[in-house]
Amino acid sequence: MAGGPNRRAQAAPSAQVDPLAGLRAPADPPWDVYLTGTVFLDIIFTGLDSAPVRGTESWARGMGSSPGGVANMATALARLGLKTSLAAAFGDDHYGEYCWDALEHGEGIDLSPSRTVPGWHSPVTVSMAYEGERTMVSHGHEPPPEEPAPDCPPRARAAIASLVPGTRAPWIAQAASKGARIFADVGWDDTGAWDLAGLADLEHCEAFLPNAQEAMRYTGAESPREAAHALTEYVPVAVVTLGAEGAYAVDGGTGETAVVPAIAVEALDPTGAGDVFVAGFVAGTLADWPLADRLAFAGLTAALSVQEFGGSLSAPGWAEIGAWWRQVQSLEQQDPEALRRYAFLADLVPEDVGRPWPLRRAVPTIGFRRSA
């Protein structure tokens, strides 16, 4: 069933920058991006000096709670001004109600393809951030299967998928048949096969965004750049993330390449940074930006996200992007070449970005009663 029990109504936020404003037309699909997956409740501990040690108790200096899983990317897309539709199962517990409320009313994400599952508890992930890394423990069960609705996936400009080795997801071909541009990432191949032929849905994809280790293992290449070029034999655009070294991209159709170094920031929590990177790249692609601008924007949004708690609620909006752009221009001895790399932001971010709503951030607990 779509919807959930006793959902509290409130006005949804609206992004103050629409990256697709000049491209919109009356006959456009109702959604810019469609995605589906599992929503977790994330509980994040930060400020740990080291990894927890067996048989001891560790105290974290910070803690936050927020929707996680596929909610990370959905929130990042919505905060960048894209009309986002999400299909997911939600538990009918307080965790599920909180996640639904945060996504639908807090972020303006369309949840009409989603459903609340009676008697099913929300999946939970506990994430511990330390030394720039994280360790996660998760628990959850598969929701009961449900026949897909006739209009799901809905028409959208794009869809984002996480490919699973050896498995086809029928909705990907369905979305592509309706004109959606498919962007995909992939998880670690636990089978050890690393066979590109096993990523059957790659044939529907416009862009593939693995990390460096994944790309090299799938292609047998000796370097991330070599791997990116090899991947363009299977997908039009290959983007390989390089961690602290940034990212490298190749457009196999035009031959264009781009490399953008990472932005040095003090990371509080890396949870969800990869999802935010993908969201930034999708936004730039749908806006028809040059490849290098798309790559730079994706890296910037990911860098801004790691300075906040959690995955979904750490995603930056245009207020944060505008504030960063104004700040780096004011720094003494700023590298002029680095400033030119992000000069495209000047035409996007208004002089006074403002903030139409305070961006929600991960909080230590959920369920406080609201005062009248």
Side-chain angles (χ1 to χ4, degrees):
M1 116 183 177
N6 301 318
R7 302 298 182 192
R8 179 171 48 82
Q10 68 182 63
S14 58
Q16 67 274 38
V17 174
D18 180 0
L20 310 186
L23 302 173
R24 298 196 184 279
D28 284 346
W31 307 109
D32 296 326
V33 186
Y34 167 80
L35 63 167
T36 184
T38 303
V39 173
F40 286 75
L41 174 75
D42 279 358
I43 301 173
I44 309 102
F45 293 103
T46 63
L48 291 165
D49 294 322
S50 62
V53 177
R54 179 179 177 181
T56 67
E57 181 179 16
S58 299
W59 279 82
R61 290 188 291 274
M63 174 184 168
S65 301
S66 65
V70 72
N72 295 342
M73 196 173 295
T75 301
L77 292 163
R79 289 186 173 186
L80 293 177
L82 300 183
K83 300 175 183 178
T84 304
S85 182
L86 169 65
F90 289 77
D92 65 349
D93 49 16
H94 289 308
Y95 289 171
E97 185 173 0
Y98 160 74
C99 289
W100 187 295
D101 179 82
L103 297 176
E104 183 179 53
H105 301 301
E107 305 298 335
I109 296 168
D110 169 55
L111 296 181
S112 59
S114 295
R115 60 192 173 114
T116 296
V117 181
W120 181 66
H121 77 76
S122 300
V124 176
T125 291
V126 174
S127 177
M128 292 161 282
Y130 53 89
E131 299 174 353
E133 297 294 338
R134 59 179 178 162
T135 297
M136 297 185 293
V137 178
S138 298
H139 174 71
H141 303 282
E142 287 291 326
E146 180 186 61
E147 288 297 322
D151 58 348
C152 192
R155 279 201 320 127
R157 295 173 186 265
I160 302 177
S162 184
L163 304 185
V164 179
T167 302
R168 277 190 181 273
W171 75 265
I172 297 176
Q174 294 167 12
S177 70
K178 295 181 180 181
R181 303 163 71 176
I182 310 298
F183 297 77
D185 60 11
V186 68
W188 192 258
D189 187 354
D190 291 328
T191 70
W194 298 103
D195 180 11
L196 276 170
L199 300 179
D201 286 320
L202 199 59
E203 66 181 1
H204 302 297
C205 296
E206 174 177 327
F208 184 44
L209 299 93
N211 64 34
Q213 288 299 317
E214 293 160 351
M216 289 189 292
R217 285 177 181 268
Y218 270 116
T219 61
E222 295 183 357
S223 72
R225 293 193 182 195
E226 181 184 338
H229 286 273
L231 286 171
T232 58
E233 297 181 13
Y234 300 86
V235 66
V237 177
V239 180
V240 177
T241 55
L242 309 173
E245 298 179 14
Y248 183 77
V250 183
D251 186 323
T254 65
E256 183 181 7
T257 63
V259 58
V260 174
I263 298 174
V265 296
E266 185 175 346
L268 175 64
D269 176 19
T271 303
D275 295 326
V276 176
F277 181 96
V278 173
F281 188 82
V282 170
T285 302
L286 295 184
D288 287 340
W289 298 349
L291 184 62
D293 290 354
R294 289 181 259 163
L295 205 61
F297 186 70
L300 169 60
T301 54
L304 294 177
S305 77
V306 303
Q307 299 177 83
E308 298 284 350
F309 284 115
S312 63
L313 302 188
S314 69
W318 286 101
E320 284 72 22
I321 295 167
W324 176 86
W325 174 236
R326 289 192 298 275
Q327 181 184 24
V328 295
Q329 293 180 85
S330 68
L331 295 177
E332 295 183 4
Q333 299 180 334
Q334 180 62 267
D335 181 1
E337 183 178 348
L339 279 180
R340 284 193 294 271
R341 172 61 274 147
Y342 296 91
F344 66 94
L345 291 174
D347 296 328
L348 280 168
V349 181
E351 189 66 28
D352 181 13
V353 178
R355 190 186 286 269
W357 84 98
L359 286 181
R360 292 189 177 191
R361 296 302 185 193
V363 294
T365 189
I366 60 177
F368 276 133
R369 294 184 181 274
R370 291 178 174 82
S371 58

